[in-house]
Amino acid sequence: RRQTTFHLVGFVEPAEDYSCGQFARDAQQKISEIREKNKNPIVCGGTGMYIKALFHPLDQLPQSNAQTKARIREMMQKHGIEYLYKRLRRIDPEWAKMIQPQDKQRIMRGIEVFEITGQPLSKMLGKAVKKRIILPYYIGVNLPRDALYARINSRFDHMINAGLVQETESLLRKGFSPESSALRTIGYREIVGYLHGLWSLETAIENAKRRTRNYAKRQITWFKKMPDIQWHDPGESETVEQILRKIGKAKVAM
């Protein structure tokens, strides 16, 4: 980060909900600003839904409502996720079929959209006319699985040594809820469990590494299904030169 300017990093509060739709709007603005300087932006990351939201615009769904979400979350804490899923099946059976019965975020979102609009979320999908305003040139880098997993494990060890436990402890001390969007992510969730006495630090670290490896595997599966990605092995000495040559030949359009 001392060598390259990164955008949309460290700008959302831990308690703030931040959707892939909001990311798409913010990223489009930044991309426009960079292009106005006659530079080509690089969108770097591996979260498939966020990439899809940016380059293949999503349906326009209602903004999240804090009071409605809090009421639904309280309902989940009181009755459990199975109760919410059964309710979702009654009000929006089509959406319930498309998600897993343990997918808290999407179950809550389905109920929330229904309570805000009175319409099933599934009926609102595919209705909006969406305009694709950015044409990307996709580049994929994929290490051999053993090397990738070794890097994942090493990365989390580095995060622990850099103060992840203390950071999480500080966030909790400041009043951020363990159920907030930030603290429910991989790594934070396991450290929160350790700080609450649910398991040892060693167990928290191993669980976080395992969940990260599983997440990376799902990311690879997601992007492997995209036919227009140019894949490269980052371990090859000529990879950077090959990528730069291809970017130079590619037509990047807005």
Side-chain angles (χ1 to χ4, degrees):
R1 291 182 65 181
R2 284 191 291 266
Q3 296 177 348
T4 305
T5 300
F6 282 77
H7 303 274
L8 305 187
V9 174
F11 73 109
V12 178
E13 289 296 320
E16 183 180 346
D17 287 325
Y18 192 73
S19 67
C20 53
Q22 184 60 52
F23 163 78
R25 290 187 287 273
D26 291 341
Q28 286 172 7
Q29 177 63 36
K30 288 296 179 183
I31 287 172
S32 296
E33 293 173 4
I34 294 168
R35 294 284 287 164
E36 286 175 0
K37 298 176 182 177
N38 200 31
K39 295 182 179 181
N40 282 333
I42 297 174
V43 179
C44 180
T47 306
M49 279 299 295
Y50 281 64
I51 298 297
K52 183 178 180 181
L54 175 59
F55 297 129
H56 305 274
L58 301 173
D59 299 90
Q60 294 298 314
L61 299 177
Q63 289 286 336
S64 183
N65 180 279
Q67 290 182 333
T68 303
K69 179 172 285 189
R71 187 168 63 251
I72 296 171
R73 183 172 287 122
E74 183 179 346
M75 195 183 308
M76 181 182 66
Q77 292 172 346
K78 183 176 181 180
H79 300 289
I81 192 62
E82 291 182 8
Y83 174 87
L84 284 190
Y85 186 68
K86 288 179 180 178
R87 184 179 179 193
L88 180 65
R89 289 176 61 183
R90 290 196 301 271
I91 63 177
D92 193 349
E94 290 302 316
W95 180 245
K97 287 179 183 178
M98 290 189 280
I99 64 177
Q100 296 296 320
Q102 298 80 27
D103 192 334
K104 295 180 183 179
Q105 186 170 343
R106 289 183 173 86
I107 291 171
M108 291 176 63
R109 181 58 172 157
I111 295 173
E112 181 189 21
V113 168
F114 184 82
E115 292 199 359
I116 292 173
T117 66
Q119 300 180 54
L121 188 154
S122 60
K123 300 297 183 184
M124 303 177 71
L125 299 177
K127 295 293 181 66
V129 177
K130 300 178 285 294
K131 181 183 178 182
R132 179 171 171 170
I133 63 174
I134 302 171
L135 180 62
Y137 178 78
Y138 287 111
I139 297 168
V141 288
N142 190 12
L143 284 166
R145 197 61 55 91
D146 290 347
L148 173 64
Y149 287 175
R151 285 197 182 189
I152 287 172
N153 294 339
S154 175
R155 170 181 174 270
F156 199 79
D157 286 337
H158 177 73
M159 291 168 65
I160 291 294
N161 294 332
L164 180 61
V165 174
Q166 292 79 3
E167 178 185 337
T168 307
E169 196 170 27
S170 174
L171 290 171
L172 293 172
R173 196 164 51 243
K174 290 177 180 178
F176 291 109
S177 169
E179 293 301 316
S180 65
S181 297
L183 294 183
R184 285 189 289 109
T185 54
I186 299 174
Y188 282 117
R189 177 183 291 179
E190 288 74 21
I191 298 304
V192 167
Y194 158 66
L195 293 173
H196 285 174
L198 299 180
W199 42 65
S200 66
L201 179 58
E202 182 180 23
T203 298
I205 292 172
E206 288 307 312
N207 287 346
K209 289 179 179 179
R210 174 179 50 78
R211 288 187 64 213
T212 307
R213 294 193 299 268
N214 291 341
Y215 181 59
K217 185 178 180 181
R218 293 195 300 273
Q219 287 178 310
I220 293 168
T221 300
W222 174 291
F223 287 109
K224 284 286 189 180
K225 293 178 181 178
M226 296 175 61
D228 47 354
I229 292 184
Q230 305 294 318
W231 288 100
H232 297 271
D233 181 351
E236 295 179 358
S237 59
E238 296 183 356
T239 293
V240 174
E241 288 76 11
Q242 290 174 356
I243 291 174
L244 289 174
R245 283 198 298 271
K246 289 186 176 181
I247 292 176
K249 294 178 181 178
K251 294 181 180 180
V252 183
M254 292 291 287

